[in-house]
Amino acid sequence: MTELVAGGNTVLPDGELSLRVPGPFDLSVLVTGDDGRVAGDGDFVFFNQPVAPGAQLRGDTVTVRPARLRPGATRVTVVASPAEPGVALGRLPVPALSVRRADGTLVARFAPPRPARETALLLAEIYRRGDRWKLRALGQGYADGLAGVARDFGVDVVDDGGAPGGGPRGRGAAPGAAGPAAGAAQDGFLGAVNAARLRFGTPPVALDARLIAAAQAHAEAMARRGTLGAVGPDGTSVHDRIAAAGYGCLGIAEHLVSGPRTAAELVEFCLAEEGRGDPFRDHGVVHAGIGRAVRDGSGDLYWTALWAAPFSAAGLARTAAEVVRLTNEHRAAARLAPLAPDAGLTAAAQAHSADMVGRRFYAHTSPEGSEPWDRAAAAGCAFRGIGENIACGQRTAAEVVRGWMDSPGHRANILTPDFTHIGIGYAVGAAAGTYWTQLFGR
């Protein structure tokens, strides 16, 4: 595996390649000739146009088959932009690109320098040299968004009236789940859910086609295996399916159930226990998705219900602020001074949470050996001492702070008198669903 820096390049293996950028981003590619210009709008692969000869976009991954690109194509440029229009990339995790062969072998990885006010980033390009294809890391930012990138490559852009710079045509709804099982799963579900939420005084939710697709895929995987579980035998989690469907989460909850025969019975079952009923009472839940599958032979039904709050930079900031507030409440109870939020610590903590999701590990030490103090220094922090707490699986700020306080080692960090500043990181995905980082400085 090659770890690239901006300007670096590596030879690519023959055959199909998968390029993935996890997180709250839209992934796009532009297919061009040596002149760097598209031959037509069909050379732009993005959320409204996910397929071109030799390239297909699905969620956070684009598959490229260089041998099948249109005649005259010699380059494929990979672009990352915020999923929420108008948000500066500097307010989000670093968009890290990984490139894999068809068998899943990691070929190369590129984590660009952290952008600032840019709203689109040219991450890399696949280009032909002689009879071989190579990958070059770029890291070039654009301040006028995906529309600005598209214009520079010769795409005819119609602004959608949204964020500055607009976007290439309007973003359409994601395709819904197809087939009789998906339709049967939805039948009566939304009405029963919103009737329950009305009783609890919480606003109604809407079905989201991306969550429906992810829920249906996970229900089918459980039915094939004949067991309930958040992670399948191939390592694909329900959260991976949500990311692959293109839904960026700030918060997520799931019900994985076997037994009920109808959607109404499923809702009744979920409401029967206090813990299961939390999504019905949660004001933050905005979208829901439902999937149902029948196991061959037994006829048993397997259900996946998803409850989500969409990602936004403002929502991430509120979540981090709540962790800081609860942390300082515990310090106040111990007669300690409050911790002040620090931008550098926040950037390092957020990058580590996103990295744990993107590379599917859970540790203070990253796969290449960097430690908390290394990450803090790289983010520009000049503190004499650094401490770090991490956690995964907790769904709320209150739950994660309570878990840290119940652990002697984590509690000691929170109640260290000499610490003066704090940064919080939070990312959704991978196997555990949520990954938290609490970084302290003094």
Side-chain angles (χ1 to χ4, degrees), residues 304-327:
T304 299
L306 301 175
W307 317 88
F311 178 87
S312 70
L316 178 62
R318 286 193 299 270
T319 299
E322 180 66 3
V323 174
V324 173
R325 185 188 71 80
L326 293 169
T327 298

Side-chain angles (χ1 to χ4, degrees), residues 405-421:
M405 287 299 294
D406 288 343
S407 166
H410 298 95
R411 178 188 177 93
N413 271 341
I414 289 173
L415 300 183
T416 294
D418 291 347
F419 283 140
T420 57
H421 291 79

Side-chain angles (χ1 to χ4, degrees), residues 20-400:
R20 180 175 184 240
V21 180
F25 307 105
D26 281 331
L27 187 62
S28 313
V29 298
L30 295 117
V31 180
T32 66
D34 286 334
D35 62 356
R37 306 283 288 180
V38 299
D41 289 357
D43 282 346
F44 187 24
V45 177
F46 69 116
F47 39 74
N48 267 358
Q49 184 172 271
V51 179
Q56 181 174 12
L57 174 68
R58 293 188 64 188
D60 62 2
T61 302
V62 63
T63 302
V64 177
R65 300 172 179 85
R68 299 185 185 179
L69 295 171
R70 64 159 174 83
T74 58
R75 295 185 193 176
V76 178
T77 303
V78 183
V79 185
S81 56
E84 183 182 2
V87 173
L89 285 166
R91 299 172 63 187
L92 302 177
V94 172
L97 171 71
S98 61
V99 182
R100 296 180 182 273
R101 301 172 58 135
D103 63 3
T105 303
L106 185 62
V107 174
R109 186 176 180 276
F110 173 52
R114 174 171 290 279
R117 297 181 180 179
E118 295 92 336
T119 50
L121 191 68
L122 304 188
L123 275 174
E125 65 176 2
I126 296 172
Y127 64 101
R128 190 169 64 199
R129 280 291 179 268
D131 60 351
R132 299 305 304 269
W133 289 85
K134 302 181 74 174
L135 176 76
R136 179 184 293 118
L138 299 176
Q140 176 187 342
Y142 275 68
D144 50 353
L146 192 56
V149 176
R151 288 190 188 98
D152 278 5
F153 280 74
V155 178
D156 181 22
V157 173
V158 178
D159 285 356
D160 63 6
R169 297 174 170 80
R171 175 192 277 272
Q186 294 173 51
D187 187 26
F189 175 74
L190 189 61
V193 167
N194 284 334
R197 288 178 68 86
L198 180 64
R199 294 198 302 272
F200 295 129
T202 45
V205 297
L207 288 175
D208 183 274
R210 296 161 296 181
L211 294 178
I212 291 170
Q216 184 61 33
H218 198 72
E220 289 171 1
M222 292 192 299
R224 285 194 298 270
R225 190 181 181 192
T227 58
L228 299 173
V231 181
D234 63 350
T236 302
S237 73
V238 64
H239 310 101
D240 293 325
R241 301 186 201 282
I242 294 167
Y247 189 98
C249 296
L250 181 67
I252 190 72
E254 67 278 354
H255 286 129
L256 309 176
V257 178
S258 178
R261 307 306 296 178
T262 67
E265 287 181 16
L266 172 70
V267 171
E268 209 174 298
F269 174 80
C270 292
L271 288 168
E273 290 187 14
E274 187 68 23
R276 284 202 207 103
D278 287 349
F280 298 90
R281 299 175 175 85
D282 188 346
H283 286 257
V285 170
V286 175
H287 296 130
I290 184 69
R292 188 195 79 165
V294 182
R295 178 164 174 77
D296 290 343
S298 69
D300 293 337
L301 291 180
Y302 286 79
W303 298 83
T304 299
L306 301 175
W307 317 88
F311 178 87
S312 70
L316 178 62
R318 286 193 299 270
T319 299
E322 180 66 3
V323 174
V324 173
R325 185 188 71 80
L326 293 169
T327 298
N328 280 333
E329 280 189 359
H330 288 291
R331 287 181 65 88
R335 300 180 181 274
L336 297 173
L339 302 172
D342 177 82
L345 291 175
T346 299
Q350 184 60 41
H352 189 56
S353 287
D355 195 25
M356 287 191 289
V357 168
R359 292 199 279 173
R360 306 180 73 87
F361 73 97
Y362 176 65
H364 293 286
T365 304
S366 72
E368 62 272 3
S370 70
E371 301 287 356
W373 40 91
D374 300 321
R375 296 188 288 270
C381 299
F383 295 102
R384 300 188 316 277
I386 294 291
E388 183 180 78
N389 288 340
I390 59 175
C392 65
Q394 298 83 357
R395 300 309 170 91
T396 66
E399 186 180 348
V400 73

